[in-house]
Amino acid sequence: MFLVDPVAHLFEADLSVVVGSALMLADSNVEHSVHGWITAIYAVLLVAMIVGLALEEKIHAKKSIIVGSFAGICLILATVLELLPFGSVELPDHSEIPLPVYIPSIDWGVITIILGASLFVEVTSRSGVFTWMAILLTRKSGGDPWKLLIFYGLLTVLFSAVLNNVTAMIIIGSLTTVSLRKLNRSELMLGFLITEGLLTNVGGLLTLISSVPNIIVGKTAEISFGRFFVVAAPYVLVATGVTLIMARRKFGIRGLRTDEEKAEARRMVDSFDPGESIPSTHFFWFSVISLVLFIGGLAGQSALPWGLDQLELGFVALFFAGVVLLAYRSEVDKFYSAVDWDLLAFFASLFVVIHVMEHAQVLALIGRGISGLLSLPSPGDSIVLLSTSAAASSVTDNIPLAAMLAQILNSMDTASNSPYWWCVIFGANLGGNITPIGSASTVVAMTIIHRQQLKLTFGGFVKTALPFAIVQIVLATIYILIVF
Amino acid sequence: MRDHIDEFESMFRRADKEQFSYVDIPIESVTLVSDGTQEQAELVQTDVQRFIRALDSVGTWRIIAGDDYQTVAELVALIDEQQTDLLVTHRHLQESSLVPRHTLGVYLDVLTQTTSIPVLVLPGRSNNPVRVASGDCDRVMVVADHISGDNRLINYGAVMCREGGSMWLCHVEDDLVFERYMQAIGRIPEIDSDDARILIENQLLKDASDFIEECSTVIQAAAPNISVQPYVGRGHHLRDYRQLIQDHDIDLLVLNTKDDDQLAMHGRAYSLSVELVDVSMLLL
C-alpha cells in the first residue's frame, strides 16, 4: 500500500517547473501589482502576530484577540492601500450576492468541522464514555505501573485521535494524578504526565479531525478521512510504542514483582468504580453508538450516496452534533457555552489575515523561501520541510504555521499525494513536543504538573522531552521517505 | 483549563470508593470491671455471656471487683497487668454516693481514653444497673460521623451481633454543621448557593450510602446470617439516634470515642454515651 508513488516521483522530478508555475499562480491571484514596501509592512505585521501568539501567556490576551486585532489592522490597511477586491461574490449558479470582503476569506469548511466536532465531543463526554474507559483500564492494569503507563499511553493516543489533544490530556492527566496518589506512587507522576503530554501530539496525527493542522492541511490537500488514517496509523502505532519504551527507561517505570505488591496494588485499583462516571446507562449507549457512527460518517463521507458527499465533512460533524444535542434538547445552551469560541474566532481572524497576506504578496515571498528549501534534492527537501515545520511549531502556534504552509503549498499547485503535505502535518504536530509551549496539550501537561507541586522548568521540560521529540521526528522523516 | 482539570479530578476521585474488608475479630480474653463484689460481678458475667453469644465462648474471663482498686491509676495498672481484648463495665463506678448525672464517671472516662481496648458499657449505672440477660443481642446499631472507611467499627458490630440478627449501619449528617457551611457559601458570590446545597448534600449522603452498600455486600458474603440495614440522613445527631434506637429496639450501640487531636472523648460520642444510658454500648 505504501509503495513509492509514481505521481509523487513525477512531482519531485518536475519540482522547479511546479514551483515556478505555482509562484506564477500565486501572483495571478492578485490582480494588481504590489509595491515591495507594502509587502514588507505586511511581513512585519505577520511576524508581529506570530510573536504575539508565542507570547500569549505573557501578554495576557487570548488568541482570538491577538489575531483579531491583526486581522482588523490588516483589513483597514489593505482597504486604504487598495489591495482588496471589493464587490459581490459569485455563487456556483453564477448569481452574485453582496458579502463583506472578509467573509469569503474564511474557510467555513474548517470552521464547521471544528464547531461540529467540538459540540459532539462536549455532549458525548458527558455520557461518561471516556472516563468509563479510563477507569476500566486502570482496574485492568491491576495497579502495575508499567501496565498503567501502557494503558494510559494508548488511551491518550486514542482520545487525542477521537477528541482533541487538550481534552485527552485533561482526562488522562487527571486520572493519572488520582490513581498514582491512590497507589502511593507519586514519584512516577512527572514521568507519566510528560509521556502523556508527548503522546497527545502523536495521537493527534491519527485522523483528519484529530488536530487543527490536520484539518487545515488535509482539507487544503483534499486528503480524505480514510486516506489520512491509512497513512498516519502505522506511524502513530510505531511512535507510540517507541515513546512508551523510552519513557520506561527514562523514568524508571517498572512492573510489580512480588505477589504481595501485586495483591496490594490490585486491592487499591479495585476501589475505582467505572460505573460511577455514567450518569445514565441509556445515554451512555446512545453516545457510544453515536460515536461509532460519527467516526464512520467521517470516514465514509466521500462515499456518501445521492450527492451527499458534496455537503462535506463539516456538515457530517454538525449533523452528528445536532443528533446528540437532541438528548439534551432543553439545555443545549450549556453546550453552546462550552464551545471554544476563542478558537473559532481565532480561526476566522487567521483566515482573514492569511487572505490579506496573500494579496500583499507576503505568502508569495514566503513561498519563494520555501521553494528554495524544496529545490533541494530528494530526500533533502522533505527532511528540511518537516524539520523546519517542527522547529517553527515548537516555539509558536502550529495553527497559523499549518494554515500558511497549506496555503503556500496549495498556491504551488502541490499534488494531493505529495509528501510535502505530510511533512507539514507531521512537523506541525510533533514540533509541539519540543517545548512546553509548543502545543496546547503540553501546556495542559505543565499546568497539571505544577498543580501537583511537581518541579519542572521550561528548560527541564525541553531537556526531558527533546530526546523523545527528536526520535519521533526522525521516525516521521524515515516513515515519509519510505511511504512516499 | 484549571476548571476542567479540577472537574475531571473530582470525577475520578468520586469513582474511587472506600472498600470494606470483613475481618473476624478474635475475642479471647475479657476483663469485667465492677465496683461490687466478686459474686455480683460473676452474675453480671453470666448475663453478658447470655446477651452476646460471641462472648460465651471466650476462653479467659477476668474479674476486677470493687475491692481490687481505689483509684483510677490502680485500676489502669491492674488492667495493664494482663492482656485483654475487651473490657466490660458500668457507668459511674465507685460513685454511688455522688448521685452522678451527665457524665460517664471518672473511671469509665479514663478507661475509654487511656487504653485502646474496646469497652462494653452495660446499660444503667453501676448503682442502678439494667440487666441485659432479658434478650439476645440481635439488633446492633453502628454509629459513625463518617462511616465511610470505618472498617474496625463495623467489624466489631458484626462480631457482637447474634447470627440471624440485624445490624444497622447509620450515618447522620449533622444539620447544624451543614447549615453553617451553607451560610458561608451563601456569602460567596462565585458559588451558586442552591447548586452547592444540593450537590454537597447529595455527595455527603452518597459517600455514606455507597460505603454501607459495599459493607452489606461483603458482610452478606462473609457472614450471611447477619442482615445489614442502612440508615443515611441529615438531622440532629442525638435526637435522631435516640429515635432510631427506639424505633428499632436496639440492643447494642457501637461507636468510636477516640479523637486523634485530644485526650478527651470526642464530642458527639460523649453526648450519646452520656444521654443514652438505657442501651448497651461498645465504645471503641
Side-chain angles (χ1 to χ4, degrees):
Chain A
M1 186 180 289
F2 299 112
L3 296 174
V4 176
D5 193 327
V7 180
H9 258 309
L10 182 69
F11 176 82
E12 285 164 17
D14 295 337
L15 186 69
S16 57
V17 177
V18 172
V19 170
S21 47
L23 291 175
M24 282 169 64
L25 189 82
D27 282 342
S28 70
N29 288 338
V30 183
E31 289 170 0
H32 47 269
S33 60
V34 177
H35 291 290
W37 62 270
I38 294 177
T39 305
I41 288 175
Y42 275 96
V44 169
L45 280 173
L46 183 64
V47 171
M49 186 188 81
I50 291 168
V51 170
L53 285 170
L55 300 175
E56 183 192 354
E57 298 283 325
K58 298 275 181 203
I59 57 178
H60 300 292
K62 289 285 184 184
K63 283 187 176 73
S64 58
I65 295 299
I66 297 169
V67 181
S69 305
F70 279 97
I73 293 166
C74 286
L75 274 175
I76 293 168
L77 203 57
T79 308
V80 173
L81 296 171
E82 298 178 349
L83 288 181
L84 295 175
F86 287 92
S88 297
V89 174
E90 189 180 330
L91 297 178
D93 64 357
H94 303 297
S95 61
E96 291 190 345
I97 55 164
L99 280 177
V101 70
Y102 45 86
I103 294 296
S105 319
I106 298 168
D107 188 336
W108 292 100
V110 171
I111 300 280
T112 49
I113 292 173
I114 295 166
L115 177 62
S118 305
L119 274 171
F120 181 83
V121 165
E122 189 63 32
V123 180
T124 47
S125 62
R126 298 279 169 134
S127 70
V129 58
F130 302 110
T131 45
W132 175 80
M133 282 172 71
I135 295 171
L136 195 71
L137 283 184
T138 303
R139 283 176 63 119
K140 288 272 180 215
S141 75
D144 183 292
W146 172 230
K147 283 186 191 164
L148 208 56
L149 183 71
I150 293 172
F151 287 154
Y152 284 177
L154 294 176
L155 273 182
T156 306
V157 170
L158 180 70
F159 288 178
S160 297
V162 179
L163 303 166
N164 59 63
N165 295 4
V166 169
T167 309
M169 188 62 226
I170 289 175
I171 294 178
I172 302 298
S174 307
L175 180 58
T176 299
T177 60
V178 173
S179 61
L180 289 181
R181 279 205 190 285
K182 173 86 182 177
L183 289 163
N184 298 319
R185 304 304 296 264
S186 300
E187 78 279 4
L188 300 178
M189 211 179 275
L190 188 64
F192 267 70
L193 291 170
I194 291 175
T195 310
E196 289 155 7
L198 298 174
L199 285 174
T200 54
N201 290 321
V202 174
L205 281 164
L206 194 59
T207 75
L208 182 67
I209 60 154
S210 301
S211 76
V212 177
N214 300 3
I215 298 173
I216 295 173
V217 180
K219 198 171 171 301
T220 311
E222 296 177 344
I223 302 170
S224 70
F225 187 92
R227 162 90 177 141
F228 195 104
F229 178 78
V230 167
V231 173
Y235 170 77
V236 171
L237 199 66
V238 172
T240 303
V242 170
T243 304
L244 287 172
I245 291 165
M246 285 179 73
R248 179 186 162 99
R249 291 173 65 87
K250 171 84 182 168
F251 303 115
I253 298 164
R254 301 275 177 270
L256 298 174
R257 291 196 176 94
T258 66
D259 289 342
E260 289 77 22
E261 281 178 334
K262 287 177 185 168
E264 179 63 7
R266 159 71 57 199
R267 191 185 64 73
M268 286 178 175
V269 291
D270 276 353
S271 68
F272 285 104
D273 177 8
E276 187 61 42
S277 61
I278 303 171
S280 151
T281 312
H282 174 76
F283 183 57
F284 175 84
W285 287 112
F286 173 69
S287 293
V288 170
I289 294 166
S290 301
L291 187 63
V292 171
L293 291 175
F294 176 65
I295 294 168
L298 292 173
Q301 176 271 331
S302 58
L304 286 175
W306 310 305
L308 289 172
D309 57 316
Q310 296 170 88
L311 291 171
E312 299 194 14
L313 284 176
F315 176 80
V316 176
L318 283 175
F319 174 81
F320 278 97
V323 169
V324 290
L325 277 172
L326 284 174
Y328 286 99
R329 52 196 168 278
S330 64
E331 45 184 335
V332 289
D333 51 332
K334 189 168 68 184
F335 298 104
Y336 293 155
S337 62
V339 169
D340 193 345
W341 294 109
D342 175 58
L343 183 71
L344 291 175
F346 162 59
F347 275 120
S349 309
L350 183 64
F351 285 127
V352 173
V353 170
I354 289 172
H355 182 69
V356 178
M357 292 294 164
E358 193 177 2
H359 281 273
Q361 294 285 315
V362 177
L363 295 194
L365 185 70
I366 300 170
R368 270 178 228 124
I370 290 173
S371 69
L373 292 178
L374 300 186
S375 62
L376 288 169
S378 181
D381 51 353
S382 294
I383 294 170
V384 171
L385 183 59
L386 198 152
S387 313
T388 47
S389 300
S393 71
S394 71
V395 287
T396 186
D397 202 303
N398 61 5
I399 296 167
L401 176 87
M404 270 194 307
L405 288 176
Q407 188 71 8
I408 290 165
L409 287 176
N410 193 40
S411 68
M412 290 162 72
D413 223 11
T414 309
S416 176
N417 54 2
S418 161
Y420 296 153
W421 300 110
W422 291 97
C423 290
V424 175
I425 290 168
F426 279 93
N429 280 284
L430 297 175
N433 279 344
I434 298 172
T435 67
I437 57 158
S439 69
S441 52
T442 47
V443 171
V444 175
M446 284 298 274
T447 306
I448 297 175
I449 286 167
H450 290 153
R451 214 175 129 85
Q452 295 299 322
Q453 317 289 327
L454 299 168
K455 286 195 176 119
L456 186 68
T457 59
F458 186 101
F461 181 95
V462 175
K463 194 178 162 192
T464 311
L466 195 61
F468 289 87
I470 290 173
V471 169
Q472 289 166 350
I473 290 166
V474 168
L475 276 176
T477 310
I478 294 168
Y479 180 72
I480 286 177
L481 295 178
I482 292 171
V483 172
F484 295 94
Chain B
M1 187 204 296
R2 284 180 174 272
D3 287 352
H4 274 94
I5 295 168
D6 189 63
E7 183 185 329
F8 278 100
E9 280 180 354
S10 302
M11 213 179 278
F12 290 124
R13 278 192 213 107
R14 190 171 62 186
D16 179 15
K17 292 183 173 174
E18 288 287 351
Q19 301 279 290
F20 173 69
S21 307
Y22 178 80
V23 179
D24 191 14
I25 295 172
I27 300 177
E28 289 163 1
S29 62
V30 176
T31 300
L32 193 150
V33 181
S34 165
D35 58 359
T37 63
Q38 181 76 21
E39 291 72 28
Q40 286 170 321
E42 282 169 3
L43 282 175
V44 174
Q45 177 190 333
T46 309
D47 283 353
V48 171
Q49 283 176 312
R50 280 189 203 148
F51 177 56
I52 296 173
R53 293 277 175 91
L55 301 185
D56 198 20
S57 55
V58 169
T60 310
W61 275 84
R62 176 188 176 208
I63 291 174
I64 299 176
D67 294 341
D68 297 338
Y69 63 96
Q70 299 301 318
T71 65
V72 172
E74 283 178 18
L75 178 60
V76 171
L78 276 173
I79 290 169
D80 284 346
E81 276 176 10
Q82 201 173 320
Q83 193 270 333
T84 190
D85 298 322
L86 179 71
L87 293 171
V88 180
T89 189
H90 278 102
R91 290 172 179 78
H92 307 298
L93 293 172
Q94 312 272 34
E95 291 180 7
S96 55
S97 59
L98 298 176
V99 196
R101 295 177 68 185
H102 308 306
T103 70
L104 292 173
V106 64
Y107 286 91
L108 184 51
D109 244 353
V110 174
L111 283 183
T112 56
Q113 295 312 303
T114 57
T115 72
S116 58
I117 306 164
V119 183
L120 176 64
V121 183
L122 299 171
R125 296 185 173 87
S126 184
N127 63 345
N128 186 21
V130 177
R131 291 192 65 184
V132 290
S134 55
D136 273 335
C137 177
D138 61 356
R139 301 171 82 80
V140 174
M141 181 174 283
V142 178
V143 174
D145 282 359
H146 303 288
I147 199 161
S148 187
D150 217 335
N151 289 359
R152 183 168 176 253
L153 196 68
I154 295 161
N155 280 320
Y156 265 102
V159 166
M160 296 295 165
C161 188
R162 194 196 70 178
E163 282 203 11
S166 300
M167 179 163 66
W168 274 264
L169 300 183
C170 302
H171 175 95
V172 174
E173 201 62 50
D174 198 292
D175 259 343
L176 286 175
V177 176
F178 184 78
E179 288 305 332
R180 198 156 63 80
Y181 283 109
M182 286 304 110
Q183 278 176 13
I185 286 171
R187 292 177 186 143
I188 303 171
E190 289 83 357
I191 302 176
D192 184 312
S193 308
D194 294 337
D195 279 355
R197 172 174 288 275
I198 294 166
L199 293 173
I200 293 173
E201 180 175 8
N202 287 349
Q203 194 58 45
L204 284 170
L205 302 185
K206 187 177 182 309
D207 285 345
S209 298
D210 286 348
F211 184 67
I212 291 174
E213 197 182 314
E214 154 84 0
C215 294
S216 179
T217 310
V218 174
I219 291 171
Q220 287 303 308
N225 290 324
I226 295 175
S227 147
V228 176
Q229 310 288 335
Y231 178 84
V232 176
R234 264 184 59 204
H236 185 273
H237 215 246
L238 186 59
R239 192 173 57 222
D240 283 17
Y241 276 114
R242 196 193 291 277
Q243 190 62 46
L244 284 166
I245 290 163
Q246 195 178 324
D247 290 349
H248 300 298
D249 194 17
I250 296 301
D251 298 314
L252 176 70
L253 215 54
V254 183
L255 61 157
N256 272 322
T257 61
K258 303 284 191 296
D259 192 325
D260 291 340
D261 298 329
Q262 59 184 31
L263 279 175
M265 189 187 287
H266 79 70
R268 292 204 190 102
Y270 195 78
S271 61
L272 283 172
S273 53
V274 167
E275 296 267 346
L276 305 173
V277 289
D278 296 329
V279 64
S280 302
M281 287 186 187
L282 180 64
L283 306 179
L284 301 182

